[in-house]
Amino acid sequence: MSLLIVWDPFPLLCATETCSAIAEGMPLYFDGDHLSAHGNRVLYPSFRSVVEGFRYGHSS
């Protein structure tokens, strides 16, 4: 059995028509290619949910 799970963080980082590098007054990015610690905290709950769903056999 093969399984492919795609997790797209883009809607979490750019939820509106105009994207911002700042969320909740803090930078989302460390530089042009890497998330800041705050950016990671923004994405972590969603990513964890996907991983736990896979781990426990649920789809999200």
Side-chain angles (χ1 to χ4, degrees):
M1 177 173 104
S2 63
L3 180 64
L4 173 67
I5 296 174
V6 176
W7 174 69
D8 182 9
F10 185 74
L12 298 169
L13 295 171
C14 191
T16 63
E17 192 172 312
T18 304
C19 296
S20 176
I22 306 291
E24 301 167 1
M26 300 178 73
L28 291 170
Y29 302 95
F30 175 76
D31 60 24
D33 297 316
H34 300 92
L35 289 170
S36 66
H38 178 66
N40 283 307
R41 285 189 296 272
V42 167
L43 296 181
Y44 179 74
S46 174
F47 183 74
R48 181 178 175 165
S49 175
V50 169
V51 170
E52 286 179 347
F54 172 75
R55 182 175 169 192
Y56 297 114
H58 304 114
S59 60
S60 47

